[in-house]
Amino acid sequence: MHFPTASTPKGCGHGAPHLNKNLQEVVQTFQSALDPSCWHVKDNVGGIRGLGAMASTLRKHGSVMATERNQEAVASSLLALGSNNILNQDDETGMSAAMDFAVGIWILENGPPREILDTSEGGDKSLISFYQKRVPCDCLKERHDQLKAESKCGRCEYCHGKRELSQLKLCGGCGITHYCSVECQKAEWPTHKDHCKELETSMSIKQFDFIRKVLARAGCGKWFMERVVVQLKKNNAQAVIKEINGSNAIVEMKDGSTLTVREGEDSMVPLQEHDAVLVIRSADVGLEGEVVCIDGTDAILKDTNENFCIVGFVQVAKIA
């Protein structure tokens, strides 16, 4: 994957600022963390590389990135890099790289969860719109106008063919991966089955901790704490997460006692009708509701405003 440097963008600079040596190192760390050989499972939450890459970057350069000014400078630099990928690589690779940069930008901006989820699920049009409304130049206007009339699109995981989202079907196991046909899903299964199983099982403690910290930067991470119900594998007893510390979690049992649970010792609680739940994935992330009906691998939720929505089991967590 090719990443142009922020200091020498092709043609227009798309508003890229001059970065000092420390901030250049921050951008380089982020780019390096996007390399597949540098991925870490604990950072690759939801399959969005930009989340893990920015988490690694902030851990390494926390003192440099502590100021709002530096966050804005790095975000502007990533905007320039992402714009160059859209303009100079008119293929899936370029758009994929631009999506990774968009996630990094969103974290630095403390953006709302729905925005980045809509951008990632909305195809090329949504991604270009994300950049178009941020860059100070008109370089993306032509591309944006070309896609303006298009419906939201996605790609089949197997053949990579672009389709309207309404024409793509979600994997019934993980509820995340899209396919254009049964044939493509069957052909992809030998590759997807291990990943599907990983997504279908509960989020690990580390994943909860990471998502909570990322969403806390957007001002909405608190609702992951003191509410998520898990099931202990050793005795199937249910407990509520009270505190997360790295790969360990302190949970509260029904009798009020507390217990330290390590990575891999818990799982998600199977949903039942009338359970109170929190949406932890999809564009409805953060939505709370009651399970009013279960249909296969989907659940129908009713929120506090009496609105209804359908979500997959892997997209929700039971809360106390």
Side-chain angles (χ1 to χ4, degrees):
M1 188 178 295
H2 169 68
F3 298 110
T5 62
S7 57
T8 58
K10 295 182 179 180
C12 176
H14 315 304
H18 174 74
L19 301 181
N20 61 35
K21 183 178 180 180
N22 288 337
L23 294 183
Q24 289 179 19
E25 290 179 356
V26 172
V27 174
Q28 290 168 1
T29 297
F30 179 75
Q31 291 176 300
S32 297
L34 293 174
D35 189 312
S37 65
C38 297
W39 292 357
H40 302 281
V41 174
K42 66 180 181 180
D43 288 338
N44 195 23
V45 178
I48 302 179
R49 293 171 300 183
L51 282 174
M54 185 52 71
S56 298
T57 302
L58 292 175
R59 283 197 294 268
K60 183 175 181 179
H61 301 282
S63 59
V64 175
M65 295 300 292
T67 69
E68 185 174 338
R69 179 178 179 180
N70 285 349
Q71 292 172 15
E72 291 176 352
V74 172
S76 295
S77 181
L78 297 184
L79 275 172
L81 290 167
S83 297
N84 275 335
N85 274 279
I86 292 172
L87 294 169
N88 300 332
Q89 298 188 52
D90 192 13
D91 56 21
E92 184 180 354
T93 300
M95 298 304 288
S96 177
M99 185 65 233
D100 292 333
F101 285 122
V103 174
I105 294 163
W106 166 76
I107 293 174
L108 294 175
E109 291 180 344
N110 292 334
R114 179 176 293 273
E115 178 184 31
I116 200 62
L117 289 162
D118 286 347
T119 299
S120 65
E121 295 177 355
D124 292 353
K125 183 181 71 172
S126 296
L127 179 57
I128 293 176
S129 294
F130 177 93
Y131 281 89
Q132 170 71 9
K133 66 183 182 181
R134 286 171 169 80
V135 294
C137 57
D138 294 327
C139 295
L140 295 173
K141 187 177 186 303
E142 183 177 353
R143 289 289 306 278
H144 183 265
D145 291 345
Q146 289 173 350
L147 296 171
K148 194 171 183 179
E150 282 191 8
S151 300
K152 290 187 176 181
C153 296
R155 293 184 185 275
C156 172
E157 184 72 13
Y158 179 70
C159 70
H160 304 297
K162 185 186 292 186
R163 303 283 193 280
E164 292 185 12
L165 286 178
S166 61
Q167 297 177 335
L168 293 171
K169 304 299 182 183
L170 286 172
C171 170
C174 67
I176 294 174
T177 306
H178 287 97
Y179 295 101
C180 64
S181 66
V182 174
E183 291 73 21
C184 279
Q185 184 172 12
K186 288 181 177 179
E188 174 71 9
W189 180 244
T191 302
H192 178 64
K193 61 181 179 180
D194 291 336
H195 185 52
C196 182
K197 184 177 181 180
E198 177 184 334
L199 291 173
E200 187 178 12
T201 58
S202 70
M203 279 191 168
S204 68
I205 294 172
K206 288 182 180 178
Q207 288 175 322
F208 265 124
D209 188 35
F210 174 64
I211 291 178
R212 176 180 60 83
K213 288 176 180 176
V214 170
L215 292 180
R217 295 183 62 82
C220 52
K222 189 175 181 179
W223 37 256
F224 268 111
M225 297 300 293
E226 300 183 2
R227 300 172 58 186
V228 174
V229 181
V230 296
Q231 184 169 288
L232 305 185
K233 292 182 178 180
K234 65 178 182 179
N235 56 11
N236 292 328
Q238 294 187 11
V240 180
I241 294 178
K242 303 299 291 184
E243 182 180 340
I244 298 176
N245 182 17
S247 60
N248 297 330
I250 297 176
V251 300
E252 183 177 328
M253 309 302 292
K254 287 186 176 180
D255 62 5
S257 62
T258 58
L259 180 69
T260 298
V261 178
R262 291 189 292 271
E263 183 78 15
E265 295 180 347
D266 68 319
S267 63
M268 298 293 279
V269 175
L271 293 184
Q272 298 181 359
E273 292 185 2
H274 307 301
D275 279 348
V277 295
L278 171 73
V279 179
I280 56 177
R281 293 190 179 110
S282 84
D284 292 312
V285 65
L287 176 70
E288 294 181 36
E290 175 191 354
V291 177
V292 295
C293 181
I294 296 176
D295 182 14
T297 59
D298 293 329
I300 299 177
L301 307 185
K302 179 176 69 174
D303 65 19
T304 54
N305 295 319
E306 302 294 319
N307 295 318
F308 293 85
C309 69
I310 301 176
V311 297
F313 279 3
V314 298
Q315 297 175 336
V316 297
K318 181 178 177 179
I319 55 177

